[in-house]
Every structure is written in C-alpha cells, then in structure tokens.
C-alpha cells in the first residue's frame, strides 16, 4: 500500500508548492455540494490518504459527474492525476478549477508549473503574473516570482537555441537546448529540434532518445516514429527499424513515407533472416549468396554492405574456403580495422592456409578489442602451437595436402609418394638412405592423418608420434626403421586395389 507520506513526497519533489488536498477545508454550502457528491469527496479523500490512487480517482470521477460545477472535485482529481504521473490529464482539471474559481491561486500556480514543463512559456507566464495580482500567500508569491523568472530565462534560451540552429551552429544549439530541457522536460518540439541537431552533427544515435520522448509527448507523432525508424535503419539495426515504422503505420496506414520505408525494411529483414537461418543449418554457400542479395537490395547504405561482407567472410571461413575468406574479411577490415568477428574468421582462414604468423597477429589484434573472448584466446593458443609445430615435422606438408584435406585425398597422396619414395627404387646407398627416411615420414604422416583421433591431436598442435610434444612426457614415439617396414604393403589400405612392384 502506498502511504500518504510517500504520495506527498512524490508530489513535493516535482511540484514543491503543491498542496495535497486531503486536508483542504471547504464549506459545503459554498461549493453547493449535495449529499452524494460529499460522500464521494470524503471517500476519495480517505482513499488518497491511504495511497489507493486508482480507487480515489474513481470517487473523484463520480463527484465530478455528480456536480460538474464543483471546483473542489476537479482539484482533487487533478491532485490524484499528478500523484499517478498523469500530468497531461491534470491540466484540464486545473483549468476548470480556475474557470470556476478565478481566485484559486494554488490551482493557477500548479497549472503554470505544468505549462512551463510543457514549454508553453507564454501561457505559463500569464498564470504566474495573475497569481501575483490575486493577493497570494507569502509562499505562493515567492513561488510565482521564482517561476516567472525561470520562464523568462527559458524564453531567452529558446531564442538563442533557434538562432544558433538557423546559423547551423548545432553544437551551440544543443548546449542551449540542454539547459532548456532541464526545465521544459515535456516540450516535444524542443526535443525534436535537439534530435535534428544531433543528426546534423553526425550523432544520430543520440537523437533516438529525444525522438522517442517526442513520440509520447505529442499525439499521433508519425514524423517522430518515421525518423526513429530511418535512424535505426542507417545504423544497421533493421529489426528495430521495422518495429518503429510499424508504429508509424498504426497511427496512419496511408502514410506515404512510412509505407515506402516499411516495404524496403521488410524486404531487407526477410533476406537477412533467411541468410542467418542458412548459416545455422551449415549451408554456407547459400547463405553467402543471400548476403550478396542483401548488398544488391540496399546498395546505398554502407553499413549493410559491411555487415554482409562480414557474414560472407564468416561463411567462407566456416566452409573452409580460406582464399575467399581472407579476401572477404580483408575488405571488411579495411573499413573496420577493429572488427573482431572479421579478425577471428580471417585468422581461422589463415590457419587453414598454414599462415600462422598472420593468424597470430589477427588473434592478438582481436584480443586487444575483446580480451574476455574465450574463442579468441583458444584460437591464439592453437595458432601459436601450430607455428611451433610447423617448425618441426608437418604431416600435411609431408603428404603435400591442405589441412582441410579429406581422408580420400590423404590416402591418394600417400600412395603416390610411397610409390615415388619406396627405397627399392634406389640403388645408390646414399639415395636409398634418404628414401628410407622420406618413406618413414610418409608412412608416419599417413598413420596420423588417416586416424581421426591422432589427426585431431595433431591439428591442436600436438604430435601424437613425438614423445616430447605429448603432455606429461608420455606418448607413442615413432622410431620405426626401414627394416620394420619390410613386408608392409603401403598400398593395401584405403581401397580395393592391390599393387605389386617388380624392381630390377
């Protein structure tokens, strides 16, 4: 339950001169109160004291309906509206109070304060001046004078803001508007003006807050929704852009600019959603094609070209097409050197191309911009291991295959090299020894790369046949000599073929 004290504090913090009417004394005869109206007013007073604002409001509604000329009923209802944060609804009731009882200075003072917050400076000044002429209390007089000076200051600042805007000094205009809007917080036009200044200064993101406020402060503000939608669109947030332009069309379904913008955003949004679904399904070629369509659909807004290339870069990297990935990622990074996603994807592509130094550099740059990304940390560690590994025995290089080679390619390369370097092909003793070493390396490469578990270890930077690289110092060292391969047919696995050699 909300206490009366909290209601009073809430009102007092916004309207320091406001008198909560639970203690307002009045004469029934003076207000012409009939019995039913008096009951509603009394019940509303108790409910307001208990902090039950909605129920109190209902009682004051009934009192107004029962006696439309009762200024007390209007004033109390205005008080509840203010306590509920419905200031706009309070103004008509306060105006009715002033109409029914012209010397009710508290109501006029309250209305003047609300008008000042709305930026209706001439009307606010008129109320404050009339308070000063109506024999106010000492407190009311002091408050009216203070508010009148504030209204005069706002008039001066508003004039300066508009003058600065007209001469295209938008920074100065923003400075003046900042000061005004601390007082005239509900002035929709001034918020729209400041939003326009932010846009002119190339800071559209800052304009959104003011435009959202303006869309609530002014009824049927289609222009604000349209501007918010276009700002989101040019910032690359197509989903929020679509949401805001729909709000515009809810107010006016025939709004030409909103409808044209809606069709464009909806088409683009559909393409992007479709592309992302294809990526989730692992259909990277189709996804890249969709993003090509995105760039064609919106060629005039650079952010969509950059984001599309970023996703195309991702698709190529995931599809293990390193050359294409490096090209696409590099195009993104020329425009956005700190793009972490493009850096990670290009680094992965560099790993496939065995360009370890380049991969390490990309991971380190990405880490500078996002040091808590576990994927970056793991990628950097892997690249460093692979660089170290590449300085030793590289089974992929031994067989002459790419790191993403399929098992069939590995077996094919192995057969070809084993046939070429079989020691029985060489008669010269030195050449035979060289061939034996080469043949052993080829056999080792085939053993590691054709075994999924061993290949996985090797891809992670660990040589499963090298005792030194095994964690904990153990492992299967590969110390077979040529003699241990005698009688072994390297061409008997990986297919139905059998090869027989006849050497002279």
């Amino acid at each position: 339950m909300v206490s009366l004290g909290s209601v009073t504090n809430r009102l007092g913090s916004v309207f320091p001169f406001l008198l909560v009417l639970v203690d307002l004394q009045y004469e029934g005869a003076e207000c012409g109160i009939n019995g039913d109206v008096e009951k509603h007013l009394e019940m509303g007073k108790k409910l307001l004291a208990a902090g039950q604002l909605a129920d109190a409001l209902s009682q004051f509604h009934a009192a107004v309906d029962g006696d439309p000329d009762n200024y007390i009923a209007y004033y109390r209802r205005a008080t509840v509206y203010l306590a509920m944060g419905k200031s706009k609804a309070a103004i008509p009731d306060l105006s009715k109070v002033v109409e029914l009882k012209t010397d009710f200075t508290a109501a006029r003072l309250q209305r003047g304060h609300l008008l000042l917050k709305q930026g209706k400076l001439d009307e606010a000044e008129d109320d404050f001046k009339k308070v000063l002429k109506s024999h106010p209390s000492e407190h009311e007089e002091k408050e009216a004078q203070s508010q009148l000076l504030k209204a005069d200051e706002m008039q001066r600042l508003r004039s300066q803001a508009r003058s600065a805007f007209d001469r295209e000094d938008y920074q100065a205009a923003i400075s003046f508007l900042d000061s005004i809007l601390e007082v005239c917080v509900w002035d929709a036009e001034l918020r729209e003006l400041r939003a326009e200044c932010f846009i002119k200064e190339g800071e559209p993101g800052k304009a959104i807050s003011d435009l959202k406020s303006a869309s609530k402060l002014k009824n049927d503000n289609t222009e604000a929704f349209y501007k918010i939608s276009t700002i989101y669109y040019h910032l690359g947030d197509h989903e929020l852009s679509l949401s805001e332009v729909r709000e515009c069309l809810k107010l006016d379904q025939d709004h030409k600019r909103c409808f044209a913008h809606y069709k464009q955003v909806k088409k683009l949004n559909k393409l992007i959603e479709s592309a992302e679904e294809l990526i989730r399904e692992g259909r990277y070629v189709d996804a890249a094609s969709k993003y090509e369509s995105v760039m064609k659909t919106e060629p005039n807004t650079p952010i969509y070209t950059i984001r599309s290339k970023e996703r195309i870069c991702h698709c190529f990297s995931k599809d293990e097409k390193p050359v294409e990935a490096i090209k696409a990622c590099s195009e993104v990074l020329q425009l956005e050197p700190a793009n972490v996603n493009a850096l990670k994807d290009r680094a992965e592509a560099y790993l496939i191309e065995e360009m370890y130094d380049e991969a390490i550099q990309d991971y380190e740059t990405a880490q500078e911009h996002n040091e808590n990304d576990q994927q970056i940390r793991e990628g950097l560690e892997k690249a460093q291991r692979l660089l170290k590994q590449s300085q030793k025995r590289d089974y992929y290089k031994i067989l002459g295959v790419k790191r993403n080679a399929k098992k069939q390619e590995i077996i094919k390369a192995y057969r070809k090299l084993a046939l070429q370097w079989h020691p029985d092909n060489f008669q010269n003793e030195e050449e035979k020894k060289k061939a034996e070493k080469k043949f052993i390396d080829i056999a080792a490469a085939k053993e590691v790369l054709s075994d999924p578990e061993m290949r996985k270890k090797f891809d992670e930077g660990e040589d499963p046949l090298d005792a030194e690289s095994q964690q904990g110092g153990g492992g299967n060292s590969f110390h077979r000599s040529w003699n241990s391969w005698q009688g072994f047919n390297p061409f008997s696995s990986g297919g139905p073929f059998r090869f027989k050699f006849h050497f002279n």
Side-chain angles (χ1 to χ4, degrees):
M1 179 182 293
V2 182
S3 68
L4 174 60
S6 66
V7 173
T8 306
N9 290 336
R10 187 190 315 165
L11 290 168
S13 64
V14 181
F15 309 104
F17 53 86
L18 183 62
L19 300 176
V20 180
L21 288 177
V22 290
D23 294 321
L24 183 68
Q25 299 299 315
Y26 60 89
E27 294 295 333
E30 178 189 345
C31 300
I33 298 178
N34 62 41
D36 289 338
V37 171
E38 185 174 1
K39 288 179 182 178
H40 288 306
L41 287 173
E42 187 62 29
M43 180 59 70
K45 172 182 172 180
K46 291 178 180 178
L47 291 167
L48 178 58
Q52 299 178 32
L53 302 181
D55 292 334
L57 186 62
S58 297
Q59 292 297 324
F60 294 140
H61 280 323
V64 168
D65 292 340
D67 185 358
D69 294 326
N70 189 309
Y71 73 90
I72 295 298
Y74 287 105
Y75 191 48
R76 287 193 172 176
R77 188 167 70 175
T79 302
V80 178
Y81 278 137
L82 292 173
M84 297 175 78
K86 298 180 179 180
S87 303
K88 190 182 292 186
I91 292 178
D93 276 357
L94 292 172
S95 296
K96 189 66 177 177
V97 173
V98 172
E99 177 189 327
L100 293 169
K101 190 170 178 59
T102 57
D103 61 346
F104 199 154
T105 54
R108 194 179 290 279
L109 195 56
Q110 289 170 29
R111 186 178 69 173
H113 192 80
L114 293 174
L115 292 169
L116 181 61
K117 283 179 172 289
Q118 289 184 337
K120 296 178 180 179
L121 304 181
D122 292 335
E123 296 176 48
E125 286 184 347
D126 184 61
D127 270 344
F128 298 139
K129 288 175 181 177
K130 285 180 177 176
V131 168
L132 293 173
K133 293 178 181 179
S134 61
H135 306 293
S137 67
E138 182 180 347
H139 175 78
E140 290 172 336
E141 181 179 4
K142 184 178 178 180
E143 184 62 35
Q145 288 175 340
S146 172
Q147 295 299 309
L148 187 58
L149 288 173
K150 191 178 288 185
D152 287 340
E153 176 68 6
M154 295 305 104
Q155 293 275 28
R156 183 181 65 80
L157 288 172
R158 185 164 65 181
S159 177
Q160 290 177 315
R162 293 193 182 281
S163 177
F165 182 84
D166 291 340
R167 65 174 184 270
E168 299 182 3
D169 187 353
Y170 302 116
Q171 280 294 342
I174 290 170
S175 180
F176 290 130
L177 290 165
D178 286 345
S179 298
I180 302 170
L181 286 167
E182 288 181 6
V183 176
C184 306
V185 292
W186 301 329
D187 191 323
E189 290 184 1
L190 291 183
R191 288 196 175 276
E192 289 176 337
L193 183 62
R194 188 168 67 175
E196 189 63 26
C197 290
F198 283 132
I199 293 170
K200 294 288 188 182
E201 283 292 294
E203 297 181 292
K206 290 184 177 180
I208 291 174
S209 177
D210 276 336
L211 289 169
K212 285 195 170 185
S213 295
S215 70
K216 296 174 183 176
L217 292 168
K218 188 189 294 184
N219 292 331
D220 299 334
N221 197 343
T222 55
E223 187 64 22
F225 283 116
Y226 174 73
K227 284 185 178 180
I228 296 169
S229 179
T230 55
I231 289 173
Y232 276 133
Y233 186 77
H234 287 99
L235 290 175
D237 199 328
H238 52 94
E239 292 177 334
L240 281 176
S241 178
L242 187 60
S243 174
E244 294 296 331
V245 78
R246 280 174 174 158
E247 292 300 318
C248 174
L249 292 173
K250 284 180 185 177
L251 296 174
D252 181 3
Q253 61 183 1
D254 296 321
H255 194 289
K256 290 184 179 180
R257 287 191 297 167
C258 282
F259 186 68
H261 185 59
Y262 169 74
K263 289 196 296 183
Q264 174 69 5
V265 183
K266 187 178 180 182
K267 181 179 180 181
L268 191 75
N269 191 63
K270 187 175 180 181
L271 280 171
I272 293 172
E273 284 183 346
S274 176
E276 288 301 307
E277 180 60 31
L278 290 168
I279 289 176
R280 287 190 289 272
E281 294 173 359
R283 297 167 58 186
Y284 300 115
V285 174
D286 293 336
S289 178
K290 281 286 183 186
Y291 272 112
E292 291 286 350
S293 298
V294 169
M295 290 190 285
K296 292 176 183 176
T297 300
E298 184 45 89
N300 301 318
T301 305
I303 190 67
Y304 292 105
T305 298
I306 295 172
R307 291 293 163 263
S308 294
K309 286 185 177 181
E310 178 187 322
R311 299 306 281 163
I312 290 171
C313 144
H314 179 73
C315 290
F316 283 141
S317 181
K318 290 300 180 185
D319 204 30
E320 297 189 342
K321 294 181 178 177
V323 176
E324 295 90 337
I326 292 168
K327 181 175 182 292
C329 295
S330 297
E331 288 177 1
V332 175
L333 291 166
Q334 283 179 355
L335 299 169
E336 293 182 346
N339 189 311
V340 172
N341 291 328
L343 285 166
K344 289 195 293 186
D345 285 325
R346 189 171 71 173
E348 288 186 20
Y350 278 142
L351 288 181
I352 296 173
E353 285 291 278
E354 300 174 13
M355 299 169 70
Y356 305 124
D357 288 320
E358 290 83 351
I360 289 170
Q361 184 176 345
D362 273 358
Y363 278 128
E364 287 177 341
T365 304
Q367 196 169 54
E368 289 173 7
H369 299 288
N370 192 347
E371 59 184 19
N372 297 320
D373 189 317
Q374 185 177 351
Q375 188 181 6
I376 294 173
R377 186 165 55 252
E378 291 175 353
L380 178 58
E381 291 172 356
K382 179 180 178 181
Q384 290 168 337
R385 286 197 306 270
L386 289 173
L387 175 62
K388 186 177 180 180
Q389 184 186 79
S390 70
Q391 296 164 351
K392 296 181 179 179
R393 180 164 55 179
D394 189 329
Y395 296 125
Y396 289 104
K397 284 186 177 178
I398 290 171
L399 295 183
V401 296
K402 295 288 185 183
R403 297 192 75 87
N404 60 346
K406 307 297 182 188
K407 184 175 181 178
Q408 189 176 0
E409 297 175 66
I410 291 168
I411 297 299
K412 182 179 179 181
Y414 163 69
R415 287 173 174 169
K416 180 180 177 181
L417 290 170
L419 176 61
Q420 179 184 346
W421 291 98
H422 198 288
D424 288 350
N425 287 339
F426 302 90
Q427 301 302 317
N428 181 281
E429 199 61 35
E430 284 190 18
E431 290 181 348
K432 183 183 282 289
K433 286 182 179 180
K434 180 181 177 182
E436 286 178 1
K437 184 178 183 306
K438 192 80 172 176
F439 186 80
I440 290 171
D441 285 344
I442 293 166
K446 182 260 182 184
E447 181 172 345
V448 170
L449 300 184
S450 61
D451 183 291
E453 187 176 338
M454 294 176 75
R455 182 176 180 178
K456 184 174 183 294
K457 285 185 178 182
F458 186 75
D459 285 343
E460 291 173 351
E462 176 186 337
D463 187 343
L465 301 181
D466 183 355
E468 291 182 4
S469 73
Q470 297 292 307
Q471 293 181 356
N476 304 316
S477 62
F478 196 81
H479 291 304
R480 302 187 195 180
S481 66
W482 159 240
N483 292 331
S484 67
W485 291 100
Q486 295 292 339
F488 170 67
N489 183 0
F491 306 98
S492 64
S493 60
F497 305 102
R498 293 289 183 272
F499 295 84
K500 194 171 184 180
F501 300 99
H502 301 277
F503 302 109
N504 294 324

